[in-house]
Amino acid sequence: MRRSILFLFIIFSLNAQAQLGDKMRAMLVGDTLAPPDHDTAYIATYRSNLVISAVGKLQLVDVDVEQDSGGGLSYSTNSMEQYGFGLDYKWLSVEATFNVPAFSDYDASLGKTSSKGLGVGFTGRRLWARGFWNTTQGYYLNDPERWTGNDAPVVRPDLSNRTFLLSAHYALSGKRRYSENAANFQMERQKKSAGTFVAGLSAWHTTITADSSLLSPALVDTFQLATGFSGLQRLLIGATIGYVHTFSFWQKGFIHASVLPGFTYADQTITTPTGDLHGTGIAAVTEFKLGAGFNGDRWYGALTTSFYYSTTPIAEKLSLGTNYGYVRLALGIRLGDPGIKALGAVGL
């Protein structure tokens, strides 16, 4: 009797796991036995191939204190290069990059900068989402002569910027002729030019910290702040709408562009010597991408740029702007299906 109950329990468990895997696959990739979920005259798909890419980046991660009257104080990184790799398979994309001092163009007088980033994304036919985390430590002051009276470098190894970006977009066109995978991860190829209007949600969390004020005592009056400030936490949550398009030429060449402006709710806390200041408001945010490349049957190469910008008030007639952008070169190869059956439980 006990053996019979145990046998039935095992059968039930295996069946439940199979049903869960089937439901997960249906949610992420749809019915694999159904007709193609895209216009095959416009899109060639390689989603069952594992794509491995070598990645190099030049990134911009600036911190700007901006005056409404014009002119602002800006901190930049000494090194912009990051290197890493990407793995793409079906709906999943993963990319990890980090700076390598031996390959970086450092100016010794401007201190050292260290940085690393990790991105994970889901890309479906009309819905795609991506989360990205980046941390950067070590900045220097731009145009020091203007702010200090001499051209000696002002180095801030204590200044760090940690950014987490999360975005989700939905293609408004129901024709299914545009491929986000072809534009950004090359798991598909855009055979004919196509585009679509896109609506999305965006969240952006930034933490800026330093051991001392970003403004020297001599600049407090210049920027009309009662005190200096040494840190900030900002959370932006809002909506974007815009247009994405991929131009296809010579069958395997492409140029991609997208512009997604929007408005977000901003919640921020500023750290000052006299305590934390907290405020909320509305902030503008813009996401811009531009890229070009070759997308062959086995090999691909793509040069893309992406830029995110946001600015919010921190005092009367004064704003704090944070920029994140990069130029990304990726060279990749398509391999066969990895054939790992356990991945089927999550739709891969």
Side-chain angles (χ1 to χ4, degrees):
M1 182 67 177
R2 291 180 180 178
R3 291 182 178 178
S4 298
I5 294 174
L6 179 61
F7 177 75
L8 291 174
F9 176 77
I10 293 174
I11 294 297
F12 175 79
S13 299
L14 293 174
N15 184 59
Q17 292 178 7
Q19 290 180 353
L20 178 61
D22 291 341
K23 290 180 180 180
M24 183 69 74
R25 280 191 296 272
M27 182 179 69
L28 295 175
V29 300
D31 184 358
T32 56
L33 299 179
D37 63 350
H38 57 278
D39 190 329
T40 56
Y42 282 76
I43 299 171
T45 184
Y46 304 90
R47 289 169 63 89
S48 294
N49 295 71
L50 176 66
V51 180
I52 299 177
S53 308
V55 178
K57 280 184 178 179
L58 290 176
Q59 69 167 7
L60 170 70
V61 190
D62 283 354
V63 177
D64 302 325
V65 183
E66 304 168 339
Q67 297 173 306
D68 289 354
S69 58
L73 180 148
S74 176
Y75 288 96
S76 295
T77 57
N78 189 12
S79 172
M80 297 189 297
E81 300 91 341
Q82 283 189 341
Y83 303 92
F85 63 92
L87 295 175
D88 304 289
Y89 179 57
K90 292 189 177 179
W91 57 265
L92 177 66
S93 60
V94 179
E95 184 172 296
T97 55
F98 43 89
N99 75 304
V100 181
F103 298 154
S104 298
D105 184 18
Y106 275 105
D107 182 340
S109 66
L110 300 179
K112 291 185 177 181
T113 296
S114 62
S115 64
K116 52 189 173 183
L118 175 67
V120 180
F122 159 79
T123 309
R125 181 58 55 206
R126 296 182 66 184
L127 174 67
W128 52 89
R130 185 168 178 81
F132 181 80
W133 171 80
N134 184 84
T135 179
T136 301
Q137 177 89 31
Y139 283 78
Y140 68 90
L141 178 66
N142 289 299
D143 195 11
E145 186 172 7
R146 176 183 178 186
W147 303 111
T148 65
N150 63 71
D151 59 1
V154 177
V155 179
R156 297 297 302 265
D158 60 308
L159 180 57
S160 69
N161 184 336
R162 293 176 176 84
T163 297
F164 178 74
L165 291 167
L166 177 64
S167 61
H169 299 103
Y170 184 75
L172 300 180
S173 172
K175 295 181 178 180
R176 300 174 183 266
R177 293 177 174 175
Y178 168 79
S179 170
E180 179 72 4
N181 260 327
N184 288 293
F185 307 112
Q186 287 71 56
M187 285 185 285
E188 296 182 333
R189 183 167 70 232
Q190 193 76 50
K191 297 162 66 176
K192 294 183 179 180
S193 301
T196 177
F197 284 97
V198 172
L201 299 175
S202 179
W204 186 349
H205 185 269
T206 300
T207 302
I208 297 171
T209 59
D211 293 342
S212 59
S213 175
L214 273 69
L215 298 176
S216 68
L219 295 177
V220 169
D221 291 337
T222 301
F223 285 90
Q224 301 180 29
L225 281 175
T227 61
F229 69 98
S230 59
L232 174 136
Q233 286 195 44
R234 174 193 290 160
L235 174 64
L236 306 177
I237 300 176
T240 58
I241 189 167
Y243 187 76
V244 297
H245 197 98
T246 299
F247 299 91
S248 177
F249 55 94
W250 302 330
Q251 296 294 319
K252 297 180 180 179
F254 71 92
I255 296 176
H256 170 71
S258 67
V259 180
L260 301 168
F263 289 95
T264 63
Y265 167 79
D267 183 296
Q268 62 183 9
T269 301
I270 303 168
T271 303
T272 75
T274 57
D276 290 346
L277 302 176
H278 178 261
T280 60
I282 301 298
V285 62
T286 301
E287 178 181 342
F288 172 78
K289 292 183 179 181
L290 181 66
F294 168 82
N295 196 355
D297 294 325
R298 183 168 175 80
W299 297 90
Y300 87 89
L303 182 67
T304 57
T305 180
S306 184
F307 185 75
Y308 303 83
Y309 172 75
S310 179
T311 180
T312 54
I314 60 171
E316 185 178 357
K317 297 182 180 180
L318 192 68
S319 298
L320 183 69
T322 51
N323 310 311
Y324 175 73
Y326 61 80
V327 177
R328 171 183 178 269
L329 175 64
L331 301 175
I333 182 173
R334 295 189 183 93
L335 305 176
D337 190 321
I340 304 176
K341 294 183 179 181
L343 296 176
V346 291
L348 290 174

